[in-house]
Amino acid sequence: MRYRSAIDVHAIEAVDTHVHLELDSHGHRALPELFFDASAKYFKTTERTPSIDRIAEVYRAHRMAAVVFTVDARTQMQHAPNSIDDLVAGCLRNSDVLLPFGSVDPRTGPAALVEARRQAEELGVRGFKFHPTVQGFDPSDQQFYPLWETLQEIGLPLIFHTGQNGMGAGTPGGAGLKLKYSNPLLLDDVAADFPGLPIIMAHPSVPWQDEAISIATHKSNVYIDLSGWSPKYFPDNLVRSANNILSAKLLFGTDYPLITPEKWLDAFADLPIKDEVRPRILKHNAVALLGLEAPSTVPGATTTDPTTTDPTTSDPVTPGAHDA
């Protein structure tokens, strides 16, 4: 089993770069029950653990593609993670709309390097997801540099949770989770020391939004996804930056199932975003970063899609090493 995308970029209207799969095909949940209860209450979520096929159904109905992942936090949580193989199988079954990202626990040391290569080379994942607060690690710590070096060699983008955390929110001591690990400044070290590593800072990084904007502006290999917050709550400085210095660096993301595409898009429509910037955020920036195939390479397609060009320059995008 190896994933290969069948997404026709001409047929979709957006790419959601941040979707959680937290229930595998055997009914196992990615984290202890406490965290599902707390986050459902925090986000006022009704459908907390949809299946992979339900996720595909939602995004197919919206003419969207979605990046889907889980988080391996076995060391911090003392809880077995969901199977990446199972996730990839579900995405392969729905390869017209879903892209699988892998996950490894950095605290497992050399085993994480081996598993990352397996997920990329054997399973065909299109990136990796990390949650420093949930996984309990400082990404700038030198002990994790062999993992970043390996992932830079593999050439896939990494999504890191940044900012405030809904997991454990409102519980005594935040269920032991430490927000400091999700300060985006910790990723500035990683981005500087591994310039060939594409890094997506997930979420408006409240309370460190200025730091996130500065890093994404300064480092060409750093992006920001806009998931986890309704756009009506976006900090003003993030909205201003979206219209100029970050127009090519921002990515649409919901945090589904915590926030639905409908809710996110309705609020986004009310933001003072330039007309020419909206399609970049919703689709074009992600198409370029994720190396999605043009329709001419998808069976049955005959047209060429303009979204395979860099939206800021109109230059063709050269697919990277992460293309499957």
Side-chain angles (χ1 to χ4, degrees), residues 44-66:
K44 299 180 176 62
T45 302
T46 55
E47 189 178 18
R48 184 64 184 81
T49 54
S51 69
I52 191 81
D53 294 313
R54 170 59 180 159
I55 292 171
E57 179 183 289
V58 168
Y59 283 88
R60 197 174 285 121
H62 286 288
R63 293 174 52 87
M64 294 180 186

Side-chain angles (χ1 to χ4, degrees), residues 163-271:
Q164 188 172 329
N165 185 12
M167 304 302 288
T171 63
L177 301 186
K178 298 175 180 177
L179 298 180
K180 66 179 181 180
Y181 294 137
S182 292
N183 187 326
L185 276 177
L186 300 178
L187 296 173
D188 187 60
D189 284 14
V190 180
D193 294 337
F194 299 93
L197 188 62
I199 293 173
I200 302 170
M201 297 186 294
H203 318 307
S205 302
V206 176
W208 301 295
Q209 191 59 64
D210 285 336
E211 288 89 334
I213 291 172
S214 179
I215 295 165
T217 302
H218 189 250
K219 304 290 192 297
S220 66
N221 54 320
V222 177
Y223 301 78
I224 295 173
D225 88 36
L226 298 173
S227 67
W229 292 75
S230 170
K232 66 183 177 182
Y233 298 122
F234 284 179
D236 291 341
N237 53 349
L238 179 60
V239 176
R240 287 195 302 271
S241 297
N243 280 316
N244 46 73
I245 58 174
L246 291 184
S247 64
K249 306 295 287 291
L250 298 182
L251 308 168
F252 164 46
T254 60
D255 222 3
Y256 183 80
L258 297 173
I259 298 176
T260 66
E262 298 96 328
K263 180 179 179 181
W264 195 98
L265 290 170
D266 284 349
F268 185 65
D270 293 333
L271 291 184

Side-chain angles (χ1 to χ4, degrees), residues 16-318:
D16 187 337
T17 59
H18 200 108
V19 173
H20 291 267
L21 176 64
E22 296 180 317
L23 183 73
D24 70 15
S25 61
H26 304 289
H28 179 72
R29 297 195 179 201
L31 297 170
E33 194 68 28
L34 161 68
F35 295 98
F36 291 97
D37 294 341
S39 58
K41 181 178 180 181
Y42 182 80
F43 284 98
K44 299 180 176 62
T45 302
T46 55
E47 189 178 18
R48 184 64 184 81
T49 54
S51 69
I52 191 81
D53 294 313
R54 170 59 180 159
I55 292 171
E57 179 183 289
V58 168
Y59 283 88
R60 197 174 285 121
H62 286 288
R63 293 174 52 87
M64 294 180 186
V67 169
V68 182
F69 49 71
T70 184
V71 176
D72 184 341
R74 65 184 72 191
T75 303
Q76 175 77 0
M77 294 295 173
Q78 295 295 293
H79 180 89
N82 280 357
S83 166
I84 299 299
D85 298 66
D86 189 68
L87 184 151
V88 171
C91 287
L92 183 59
R93 190 165 62 246
N94 296 284
S95 60
D96 60 315
V97 291
L98 301 185
L99 282 164
F101 268 38
S103 183
V104 297
D105 183 349
R107 294 171 63 181
T108 58
L113 280 62
V114 174
E115 177 61 10
R117 286 198 180 277
R118 185 190 77 86
Q119 291 179 18
E121 296 170 3
E122 297 181 21
L123 301 182
V125 300
R126 299 297 291 263
F128 289 86
K129 169 64 189 295
F130 295 95
H131 196 310
T133 291
V134 167
Q135 293 173 306
F137 78 104
D138 175 350
S140 69
D141 192 315
Q142 293 281 324
Q143 69 175 299
F144 303 115
Y145 270 37
L147 177 57
W148 311 143
E149 182 177 4
T150 296
L151 291 171
Q152 181 174 245
E153 291 172 2
I154 291 172
L156 294 169
L158 312 184
I159 297 177
F160 286 87
H161 173 93
T162 65
Q164 188 172 329
N165 185 12
M167 304 302 288
T171 63
L177 301 186
K178 298 175 180 177
L179 298 180
K180 66 179 181 180
Y181 294 137
S182 292
N183 187 326
L185 276 177
L186 300 178
L187 296 173
D188 187 60
D189 284 14
V190 180
D193 294 337
F194 299 93
L197 188 62
I199 293 173
I200 302 170
M201 297 186 294
H203 318 307
S205 302
V206 176
W208 301 295
Q209 191 59 64
D210 285 336
E211 288 89 334
I213 291 172
S214 179
I215 295 165
T217 302
H218 189 250
K219 304 290 192 297
S220 66
N221 54 320
V222 177
Y223 301 78
I224 295 173
D225 88 36
L226 298 173
S227 67
W229 292 75
S230 170
K232 66 183 177 182
Y233 298 122
F234 284 179
D236 291 341
N237 53 349
L238 179 60
V239 176
R240 287 195 302 271
S241 297
N243 280 316
N244 46 73
I245 58 174
L246 291 184
S247 64
K249 306 295 287 291
L250 298 182
L251 308 168
F252 164 46
T254 60
D255 222 3
Y256 183 80
L258 297 173
I259 298 176
T260 66
E262 298 96 328
K263 180 179 179 181
W264 195 98
L265 290 170
D266 284 349
F268 185 65
D270 293 333
L271 291 184
I273 301 294
K274 296 176 181 177
D275 289 343
E276 63 269 26
V277 172
R278 287 183 183 275
R280 297 178 189 176
I281 293 174
L282 292 175
K283 178 180 176 181
H284 302 329
N285 293 342
V287 166
L289 177 61
L290 297 172
L292 294 179
E293 297 173 341
S296 59
T297 64
V298 176
T302 58
T303 59
T304 300
D305 190 340
T307 60
T308 55
T309 62
D310 183 326
T312 61
T313 65
S314 296
D315 294 332
V317 172
T318 301

